[in-house]
């Protein structure tokens, strides 16, 4: 639903980290040589989070679904995909921030807006009827279900479909299959396969040589962790060996992303770091967050890649399609990082009552 296992957020393959293909920043010291003061991340995170959400809120109309969204010619990646990402990432922000804070309220409003766009689940039911064995309507619905917004008609139809042999044997990348397993958990059905077995077939599950990290494997890695941890809400699902591996190599990978201007992937790696069980990786967060805060435009948006615009004048410095995902990811990673750094135990309460529609 967000980036696939082999592509970046807009379907473009990011440049491998060893071959940035763009500007580098030779005047910036590598992370291992950077001396950051303890608490540097906490100094910038509240502003980064509120800025990213404010930009997203101001551009909510750009997520609006077109009238022909159910037609065969409509591009899913330009319509339903951004809306699903809005629902998924803002629901996590809402559930990992304190009630009454501006970020908590704005994130909740954006999830409500996304739910209205899918007609309280009715539009997703129509999609499921049209494409009964496509994964994306189910995954988008699961983003809402994990937040407590449900549609009985959708689940009534999905239940027998997800019990078929065809559903269980749809061929897809292990990373994508892990996402479907998490979606099934959210909806409340028995997963069609064991998550542990699927994890072992992902790039991350193989604990690969760290120097083989590059754009596609980076997005595969981040989404493996997101699906495994239910988008950062259940850090304890990360196996001990995977946790140790990530804590060892995330700093080097983040450094490579900063050097090559891969801001979207940097944000996703920060979200992974904040989704690990146990103590927060404070040195990494303190080193990287100030850099990403400098990349964030005064309007609150963050570009996916490339040289950041420094002009603080009003207006949009980037096309919506080139910054919406990285801005959402920044908000998502910032909320998780604040939770991790503030010492929360990782348990996140979901709304007490599910709102069901027929």
């Amino acid at each position: 639903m967000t980036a696939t296992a082999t592509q970046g957020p807009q379907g473009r393959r990011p440049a491998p980290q060893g071959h940035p293909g763009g500007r580098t920043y030779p005047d910036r010291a590598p992370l291992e040589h950077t001396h950051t003061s303890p608490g540097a991340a906490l100094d910038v995170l509240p502003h980064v989070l509120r800025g990213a959400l404010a930009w997203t809120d101001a551009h909510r109309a750009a997520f609006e679904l077109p009238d022909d969204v159910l037609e065969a010619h409509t591009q899913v990646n330009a319509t339903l995909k951004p809306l699903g990402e809005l629902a998924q990432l803002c629901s996590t922000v809402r559930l990992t921030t304190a009630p009454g804070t501006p970020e908590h309220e704005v994130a909740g409003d954006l999830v409500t807006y996304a739910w209205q766009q899918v007609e309280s689940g009715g539009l997703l039911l129509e999609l499921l009827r049209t494409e009964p064995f496509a994964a994306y309507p189910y995954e988008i619905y699961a983003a809402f279900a994990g937040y407590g917004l449900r549609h009985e008609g959708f689940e009534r139809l999905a239940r027998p479909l997800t019990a078929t042999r065809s559903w269980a044997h749809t061929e897809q990348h292990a990373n994508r299959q892990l996402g479907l397993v998490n979606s099934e958990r959210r909806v409340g059905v028995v997963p069609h396969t064991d998550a542990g077995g699927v994890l072992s077939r992902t790039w991350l599950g193989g604990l690969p040589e760290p120097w083989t990290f590059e754009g596609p494997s980076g997005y595969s890695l981040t989404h493996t962790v997101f699906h495994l941890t239910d988008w950062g809400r259940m850090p304890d699902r990360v196996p001990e060996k995977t946790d140790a591996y990530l804590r060892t190599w995330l700093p080097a990978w983040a450094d490579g992303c900063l050097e090559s201007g891969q801001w979207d992937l940097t944000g996703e790696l920060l979200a992974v770091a904040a989704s690990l069980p146990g103590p927060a990786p404070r040195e990494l967060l303190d080193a990287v967050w100030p850099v990403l805060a400098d990349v964030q435009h005064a309007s609150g948006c963050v570009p996916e890649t490339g040289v950041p615009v420094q002009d603080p004048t009003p207006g949009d410095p980037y096309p919506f399609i080139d910054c919406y995902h990285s801005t959402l990811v920044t908000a998502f990673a910032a909320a998780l990082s604040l939770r991790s750094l503030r010492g929360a135990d990782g348990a996140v309460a979901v709304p007490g009552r599910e709102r069901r529609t027929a």
Side-chain angles (χ1 to χ4, degrees), residues 167-234:
W167 180 269
H169 291 85
T170 298
E171 296 183 20
Q172 54 190 313
H173 290 288
N175 170 278
R176 302 292 304 121
Q177 190 175 23
L178 197 62
L180 199 55
V181 168
N182 189 52
S183 294
E184 291 166 334
R185 286 169 167 168
R186 286 183 155 193
V187 175
V189 301
V190 177
H192 70 278
T193 190
D194 174 64
V198 180
L199 174 63
S200 68
R201 293 189 285 107
T202 65
W203 185 86
L204 174 60
L207 305 180
E209 297 81 0
W211 48 266
T212 62
F213 176 95
E214 38 78 51
S217 59
Y219 280 105
S220 174
L221 175 156
T222 59
H223 282 70
T224 294
V225 174
F226 298 157
H227 299 321
L228 186 66
T229 64
D230 194 16
W231 297 86
R233 301 179 197 180
M234 298 183 179

Coordinates of all heavy atoms in Angstrom, one line a residue, residues 167-234:
W167 N -6.7 -17.2 -2.3 CA -6.1 -16.1 -1.5 C -4.8 -16.5 -0.9 O -3.9 -15.7 -0.8 CB -7.2 -15.7 -0.5 CG -6.8 -14.5 0.4 CD1 -6.2 -14.6 1.6 CD2 -7.0 -13.1 0.2 NE1 -6.0 -13.4 2.2 CE2 -6.5 -12.4 1.3 CE3 -7.6 -12.4 -0.9 CZ2 -6.5 -11.1 1.4 CZ3 -7.6 -11.0 -0.7 CH2 -7.1 -10.4 0.4
A168 N -4.8 -17.7 -0.3 CA -3.6 -18.1 0.4 C -2.4 -18.4 -0.5 O -1.3 -18.4 0.0 CB -4.0 -19.4 1.2
H169 N -2.7 -18.6 -1.8 CA -1.6 -19.0 -2.7 C -1.3 -17.9 -3.7 O -0.7 -18.2 -4.7 CB -1.8 -20.3 -3.3 CG -1.8 -21.5 -2.3 ND1 -2.9 -21.8 -1.6 CD2 -0.8 -22.3 -2.0 CE1 -2.5 -22.9 -0.8 NE2 -1.2 -23.1 -1.0
T170 N -1.8 -16.7 -3.5 CA -1.5 -15.6 -4.4 C 0.0 -15.4 -4.4 O 0.6 -15.2 -3.3 CB -2.2 -14.3 -4.1 OG1 -3.6 -14.6 -4.2 CG2 -1.8 -13.2 -5.0
E171 N 0.7 -15.4 -5.6 CA 2.1 -15.2 -5.6 C 2.5 -13.7 -5.5 O 2.0 -12.9 -6.2 CB 2.7 -15.8 -7.0 CG 2.4 -17.3 -7.1 CD 3.0 -17.9 -8.4 OE1 3.9 -17.2 -8.9 OE2 2.6 -18.9 -8.8
Q172 N 3.4 -13.5 -4.5 CA 3.8 -12.1 -4.3 C 5.1 -12.1 -3.5 O 5.5 -13.1 -3.0 CB 2.8 -11.3 -3.5 CG 2.3 -12.0 -2.2 CD 1.1 -11.3 -1.6 OE1 1.1 -10.1 -1.5 NE2 0.1 -12.1 -1.2
H173 N 5.8 -11.0 -3.5 CA 7.1 -10.9 -2.7 C 6.7 -11.1 -1.3 O 5.7 -10.8 -0.8 CB 7.7 -9.5 -2.9 CG 8.2 -9.2 -4.2 ND1 9.4 -9.8 -4.7 CD2 7.8 -8.4 -5.2 CE1 9.6 -9.3 -5.9 NE2 8.7 -8.5 -6.3
A174 N 7.7 -11.7 -0.6 CA 7.6 -12.0 0.8 C 7.2 -10.8 1.6 O 6.4 -10.8 2.6 CB 8.8 -12.7 1.4
N175 N 7.8 -9.7 1.3 CA 7.5 -8.4 2.0 C 6.0 -8.1 1.9 O 5.4 -7.7 2.8 CB 8.4 -7.3 1.4 CG 8.0 -5.9 1.9 OD1 7.0 -5.3 1.3 ND2 8.7 -5.4 2.8
R176 N 5.5 -8.2 0.7 CA 4.1 -7.9 0.4 C 3.2 -8.9 1.2 O 2.1 -8.6 1.7 CB 3.8 -7.9 -1.1 CG 4.6 -7.0 -1.9 CD 4.2 -5.5 -1.6 NE 2.8 -5.3 -1.8 CZ 2.0 -4.8 -0.8 NH1 2.4 -4.6 0.4 NH2 0.7 -4.6 -1.1
Q177 N 3.6 -10.2 1.2 CA 2.8 -11.2 1.9 C 2.8 -10.9 3.4 O 1.7 -11.1 4.1 CB 3.4 -12.6 1.6 CG 2.5 -13.7 2.1 CD 3.0 -15.1 1.8 OE1 4.2 -15.2 1.5 NE2 2.2 -16.1 1.7
L178 N 3.9 -10.4 3.9 CA 3.9 -10.1 5.4 C 2.9 -8.9 5.6 O 2.2 -8.9 6.7 CB 5.3 -9.6 5.8 CG 5.6 -9.6 7.2 CD1 5.5 -11.0 7.9 CD2 7.0 -9.1 7.5
G179 N 2.8 -8.0 4.7 CA 1.8 -6.9 4.8 C 0.4 -7.4 4.8 O -0.5 -6.9 5.6
L180 N 0.1 -8.4 4.0 CA -1.2 -9.0 4.0 C -1.5 -9.8 5.3 O -2.6 -9.7 5.8 CB -1.3 -10.0 2.8 CG -2.7 -10.3 2.3 CD1 -3.5 -9.1 2.0 CD2 -2.7 -11.2 1.1
V181 N -0.5 -10.4 5.8 CA -0.7 -11.1 7.1 C -1.1 -10.1 8.2 O -2.0 -10.3 9.0 CB 0.6 -11.9 7.5 CG1 0.5 -12.4 9.0 CG2 0.8 -13.1 6.6
N182 N -0.4 -9.0 8.2 CA -0.7 -8.0 9.2 C -2.1 -7.4 9.0 O -2.8 -7.1 10.0 CB 0.3 -6.8 9.2 CG 0.2 -5.9 10.3 OD1 0.1 -6.3 11.5 ND2 0.0 -4.6 10.0
S183 N -2.5 -7.2 7.7 CA -3.8 -6.7 7.4 C -4.9 -7.7 8.0 O -5.9 -7.3 8.5 CB -4.0 -6.5 5.9 OG -3.2 -5.5 5.5
E184 N -4.6 -9.0 7.8 CA -5.6 -10.0 8.3 C -5.7 -9.9 9.8 O -6.8 -10.1 10.4 CB -5.1 -11.4 7.8 CG -5.3 -11.6 6.3 CD -4.5 -12.8 5.8 OE1 -3.5 -13.2 6.5 OE2 -4.9 -13.4 4.8
R185 N -4.6 -9.8 10.5 CA -4.6 -9.6 11.9 C -5.4 -8.4 12.3 O -6.2 -8.5 13.3 CB -3.2 -9.4 12.5 CG -2.3 -10.6 12.5 CD -0.8 -10.2 12.8 NE 0.1 -11.3 13.1 CZ 1.4 -11.1 13.2 NH1 1.9 -10.0 12.9 NH2 2.1 -12.2 13.5
R186 N -5.3 -7.3 11.6 CA -6.0 -6.1 11.9 C -7.5 -6.3 11.8 O -8.3 -5.8 12.6 CB -5.6 -5.0 11.1 CG -4.2 -4.4 11.5 CD -3.9 -3.2 10.6 NE -2.9 -2.4 11.3 CZ -2.7 -1.1 10.9 NH1 -3.2 -0.6 9.8 NH2 -1.8 -0.4 11.6
V187 N -7.9 -7.0 10.7 CA -9.3 -7.2 10.4 C -9.9 -8.2 11.4 O -11.1 -8.2 11.7 CB -9.5 -7.6 9.0 CG1 -11.0 -8.0 8.7 CG2 -9.1 -6.5 8.0
G188 N -9.0 -9.1 11.9 CA -9.5 -10.1 12.9 C -9.7 -11.5 12.4 O -10.5 -12.2 13.0
V189 N -9.2 -11.8 11.3 CA -9.3 -13.2 10.7 C -8.0 -13.9 11.0 O -6.9 -13.3 11.2 CB -9.6 -13.2 9.2 CG1 -10.9 -12.4 9.0 CG2 -8.5 -12.6 8.4
V190 N -8.1 -15.2 10.9 CA -6.9 -16.0 11.0 C -5.9 -15.8 9.8 O -6.4 -16.0 8.7 CB -7.2 -17.5 11.1 CG1 -6.0 -18.4 11.2 CG2 -8.1 -17.8 12.3
P191 N -4.7 -15.4 10.0 CA -3.8 -15.2 8.9 C -3.6 -16.4 8.1 O -3.6 -17.5 8.6 CB -2.5 -14.8 9.6 CG -2.9 -14.2 10.9 CD -4.1 -15.0 11.3
H192 N -3.5 -16.2 6.8 CA -3.4 -17.3 5.8 C -2.1 -18.1 5.9 O -2.0 -19.2 5.4 CB -3.6 -16.8 4.4 CG -2.5 -16.0 3.8 ND1 -2.3 -14.7 4.1 CD2 -1.5 -16.4 3.0 CE1 -1.2 -14.3 3.4 NE2 -0.7 -15.3 2.8
T193 N -1.1 -17.5 6.6 CA 0.2 -18.2 6.8 C 0.9 -17.6 8.0 O 0.5 -16.6 8.5 CB 1.1 -18.0 5.5 OG1 2.2 -18.9 5.6 CG2 1.5 -16.6 5.3
D194 N 2.0 -18.3 8.4 CA 2.7 -17.8 9.6 C 3.7 -16.7 9.3 O 4.5 -16.8 8.3 CB 3.5 -19.0 10.1 CG 4.4 -18.6 11.3 OD1 3.8 -18.2 12.4 OD2 5.6 -18.7 11.2
A195 N 3.6 -15.6 10.1 CA 4.4 -14.4 9.8 C 5.9 -14.8 9.9 O 6.7 -14.2 9.2 CB 4.0 -13.3 10.8
G196 N 6.3 -15.6 10.9 CA 7.7 -16.0 11.0 C 8.3 -16.6 9.8 O 9.4 -16.3 9.4
G197 N 7.5 -17.5 9.2 CA 8.0 -18.2 8.0 C 8.2 -17.2 6.8 O 9.1 -17.3 6.0
V198 N 7.3 -16.2 6.7 CA 7.3 -15.2 5.7 C 8.5 -14.3 6.0 O 9.3 -13.9 5.0 CB 6.0 -14.4 5.6 CG1 6.2 -13.3 4.5 CG2 4.9 -15.3 5.3
L199 N 8.7 -13.9 7.2 CA 9.9 -13.0 7.6 C 11.2 -13.6 7.1 O 12.1 -12.9 6.6 CB 9.9 -12.8 9.1 CG 11.1 -12.0 9.6 CD1 11.1 -10.6 9.0 CD2 11.0 -11.9 11.1
S200 N 11.3 -14.9 7.3 CA 12.6 -15.6 6.9 C 12.9 -15.5 5.4 O 14.1 -15.7 5.0 CB 12.6 -17.0 7.4 OG 11.6 -17.8 6.6
R201 N 11.9 -15.2 4.6 CA 12.1 -15.1 3.2 C 12.3 -13.7 2.7 O 12.5 -13.5 1.5 CB 10.9 -15.8 2.4 CG 10.8 -17.3 2.7 CD 9.8 -17.9 1.8 NE 8.4 -17.7 2.2 CZ 7.6 -16.8 1.6 NH1 7.9 -16.1 0.5 NH2 6.3 -16.7 2.0
T202 N 12.2 -12.7 3.6 CA 12.4 -11.3 3.2 C 13.9 -11.0 3.2 O 14.7 -11.8 3.7 CB 11.7 -10.4 4.2 OG1 12.4 -10.5 5.5 CG2 10.3 -10.6 4.3
W203 N 14.3 -9.9 2.5 CA 15.7 -9.5 2.5 C 16.2 -9.3 3.9 O 17.3 -9.8 4.3 CB 15.8 -8.2 1.7 CG 17.2 -7.7 1.5 CD1 18.0 -8.1 0.5 CD2 17.9 -6.8 2.3 NE1 19.2 -7.4 0.6 CE2 19.2 -6.6 1.7 CE3 17.6 -6.0 3.4 CZ2 20.2 -5.8 2.2 CZ3 18.6 -5.2 4.0 CH2 19.8 -5.0 3.4
L204 N 15.4 -8.6 4.8 CA 15.9 -8.4 6.1 C 16.0 -9.7 6.9 O 16.9 -9.9 7.7 CB 14.9 -7.4 6.8 CG 15.2 -7.2 8.3 CD1 16.5 -6.6 8.6 CD2 14.1 -6.3 8.9
G205 N 15.0 -10.6 6.7 CA 15.0 -11.8 7.4 C 16.2 -12.7 7.2 O 16.6 -13.5 8.1
G206 N 16.9 -12.5 6.1 CA 18.1 -13.2 5.8 C 19.4 -12.6 6.5 O 20.5 -13.2 6.3
L207 N 19.2 -11.5 7.2 CA 20.3 -10.8 7.8 C 21.5 -10.7 6.8 O 22.6 -11.2 7.0 CB 20.8 -11.5 9.1 CG 19.8 -11.8 10.1 CD1 20.4 -12.5 11.3 CD2 19.1 -10.5 10.6
P208 N 21.2 -10.0 5.7 CA 22.2 -10.0 4.6 C 23.4 -9.2 4.9 O 23.5 -8.4 5.8 CB 21.4 -9.4 3.4 CG 20.4 -8.5 4.1 CD 20.0 -9.2 5.4
E209 N 24.4 -9.4 4.0 CA 25.6 -8.6 4.1 C 25.2 -7.1 4.1 O 24.5 -6.7 3.1 CB 26.6 -8.9 3.0 CG 27.1 -10.3 2.9 CD 26.1 -11.3 2.3 OE1 25.0 -10.8 1.9 OE2 26.4 -12.5 2.3
P210 N 25.7 -6.3 5.1 CA 25.2 -4.9 5.1 C 25.5 -4.0 3.9 O 24.8 -3.1 3.6 CB 25.8 -4.4 6.4 CG 27.0 -5.3 6.7 CD 26.6 -6.6 6.2
W211 N 26.6 -4.4 3.3 CA 27.0 -3.6 2.1 C 26.2 -3.8 0.9 O 26.3 -3.1 -0.1 CB 28.5 -3.8 1.8 CG 28.9 -5.3 1.7 CD1 29.4 -6.1 2.6 CD2 28.7 -6.1 0.5 NE1 29.6 -7.4 2.2 CE2 29.2 -7.4 0.9 CE3 28.3 -5.9 -0.8 CZ2 29.2 -8.5 0.0 CZ3 28.3 -7.0 -1.7 CH2 28.7 -8.3 -1.3
T212 N 25.2 -4.7 1.0 CA 24.3 -4.9 -0.2 C 23.1 -4.1 -0.1 O 22.2 -4.1 -0.9 CB 23.9 -6.4 -0.2 OG1 23.1 -6.8 0.9 CG2 25.1 -7.3 -0.4
F213 N 23.0 -3.2 1.0 CA 21.9 -2.3 1.1 C 21.9 -1.3 0.0 O 22.9 -0.7 -0.3 CB 22.0 -1.6 2.5 CG 20.9 -0.5 2.7 CD1 19.8 -0.8 3.4 CD2 21.1 0.8 2.3 CE1 18.8 0.1 3.7 CE2 20.2 1.7 2.5 CZ 19.0 1.4 3.2
E214 N 20.7 -1.1 -0.6 CA 20.5 0.0 -1.6 C 19.1 0.3 -1.6 O 18.3 -0.1 -0.8 CB 21.1 -0.4 -3.0 CG 20.9 -1.8 -3.4 CD 19.5 -2.1 -3.9 OE1 19.0 -1.4 -4.7 OE2 18.9 -3.1 -3.4
G215 N 18.6 1.2 -2.6 CA 17.3 1.7 -2.5 C 16.2 0.6 -2.4 O 15.4 0.6 -1.5
P216 N 16.0 -0.3 -3.4 CA 14.9 -1.3 -3.3 C 15.0 -2.1 -2.1 O 14.0 -2.4 -1.4 CB 15.1 -2.1 -4.6 CG 15.8 -1.2 -5.5 CD 16.7 -0.3 -4.7
S217 N 16.2 -2.6 -1.7 CA 16.3 -3.4 -0.5 C 16.0 -2.6 0.8 O 15.5 -3.1 1.8 CB 17.7 -4.1 -0.4 OG 18.7 -3.1 -0.3
G218 N 16.3 -1.3 0.7 CA 16.0 -0.4 1.8 C 14.6 -0.3 2.1 O 14.1 -0.4 3.2
Y219 N 13.8 -0.1 1.0 CA 12.3 0.0 1.2 C 11.7 -1.4 1.6 O 10.8 -1.4 2.3 CB 11.7 0.5 -0.1 CG 11.8 2.0 -0.2 CD1 12.7 2.6 -1.1 CD2 11.0 2.9 0.6 CE1 12.8 4.0 -1.2 CE2 11.1 4.2 0.5 CZ 12.0 4.8 -0.4 OH 12.0 6.2 -0.5
S220 N 12.3 -2.4 1.1 CA 11.9 -3.8 1.5 C 12.1 -3.9 3.0 O 11.2 -4.4 3.7 CB 12.6 -4.8 0.7 OG 12.3 -6.1 1.2
L221 N 13.3 -3.5 3.4 CA 13.6 -3.6 4.9 C 12.6 -2.8 5.7 O 12.1 -3.4 6.7 CB 15.0 -3.1 5.1 CG 15.6 -3.0 6.5 CD1 17.1 -3.1 6.4 CD2 15.2 -1.7 7.2
T222 N 12.4 -1.6 5.4 CA 11.6 -0.7 6.2 C 10.1 -1.3 6.3 O 9.5 -1.3 7.4 CB 11.5 0.7 5.7 OG1 11.1 0.8 4.4 CG2 12.9 1.3 5.8
H223 N 9.6 -1.7 5.2 CA 8.2 -2.2 5.2 C 8.1 -3.6 5.8 O 7.1 -3.9 6.4 CB 7.7 -2.2 3.8 CG 7.3 -0.8 3.3 ND1 8.2 0.2 3.1 CD2 6.1 -0.2 3.2 CE1 7.6 1.3 2.8 NE2 6.3 1.1 2.9
T224 N 9.2 -4.4 5.8 CA 9.2 -5.6 6.6 C 9.0 -5.3 8.0 O 8.2 -5.9 8.7 CB 10.5 -6.4 6.4 OG1 10.6 -6.8 5.0 CG2 10.6 -7.6 7.3
V225 N 9.7 -4.3 8.6 CA 9.6 -3.9 10.0 C 8.2 -3.3 10.2 O 7.6 -3.6 11.3 CB 10.7 -3.0 10.4 CG1 10.5 -2.4 11.8 CG2 12.0 -3.6 10.3
F226 N 7.7 -2.5 9.3 CA 6.4 -1.9 9.5 C 5.3 -3.0 9.6 O 4.4 -2.9 10.5 CB 6.1 -0.9 8.4 CG 7.0 0.3 8.3 CD1 7.1 1.0 7.1 CD2 7.8 0.7 9.4 CE1 8.0 2.0 7.0 CE2 8.7 1.7 9.3 CZ 8.8 2.4 8.1
H227 N 5.3 -3.9 8.7 CA 4.3 -5.0 8.7 C 4.5 -5.9 9.9 O 3.5 -6.3 10.5 CB 4.4 -5.8 7.4 CG 4.2 -5.0 6.2 ND1 3.2 -4.0 6.1 CD2 4.8 -5.1 5.0 CE1 3.3 -3.5 4.9 NE2 4.2 -4.1 4.2
L228 N 5.7 -6.2 10.3 CA 6.0 -7.0 11.4 C 5.5 -6.4 12.7 O 4.9 -7.1 13.6 CB 7.5 -7.3 11.5 CG 7.9 -8.3 12.5 CD1 7.4 -9.7 12.2 CD2 9.5 -8.4 12.6
T229 N 5.7 -5.1 12.9 CA 5.4 -4.4 14.1 C 4.0 -3.7 14.1 O 3.7 -3.0 15.0 CB 6.4 -3.4 14.5 OG1 6.4 -2.4 13.4 CG2 7.8 -4.0 14.6
D230 N 3.2 -4.0 13.1 CA 1.9 -3.3 12.9 C 2.2 -1.8 12.9 O 1.6 -1.0 13.7 CB 0.9 -3.7 14.0 CG -0.5 -3.2 13.7 OD1 -0.7 -2.9 12.5 OD2 -1.3 -3.2 14.6
W231 N 3.1 -1.4 12.1 CA 3.4 0.1 11.9 C 3.9 0.7 13.2 O 3.5 1.8 13.5 CB 2.2 0.8 11.2 CG 2.0 0.3 9.9 CD1 1.2 -0.8 9.6 CD2 2.5 0.7 8.6 NE1 1.2 -1.1 8.2 CE2 2.0 -0.1 7.6 CE3 3.4 1.7 8.3 CZ2 2.4 0.0 6.3 CZ3 3.8 1.9 7.0 CH2 3.3 1.0 6.0
G232 N 4.8 0.0 13.8 CA 5.5 0.6 15.0 C 4.7 0.4 16.3 O 5.2 0.8 17.3
R233 N 3.6 -0.2 16.2 CA 2.7 -0.3 17.4 C 3.1 -1.4 18.3 O 2.8 -1.5 19.5 CB 1.3 -0.3 17.0 CG 0.8 0.8 16.2 CD -0.7 0.7 15.8 NE -1.0 1.6 14.7 CZ -2.2 1.6 14.2 NH1 -3.2 0.8 14.7 NH2 -2.5 2.4 13.2
M234 N 3.8 -2.4 17.8 CA 4.1 -3.6 18.5 C 5.6 -4.0 18.3 O 5.9 -5.0 17.7 CB 3.2 -4.8 18.1 CG 1.7 -4.6 18.4 SD 0.7 -6.0 17.9 CE -0.9 -5.4 18.4

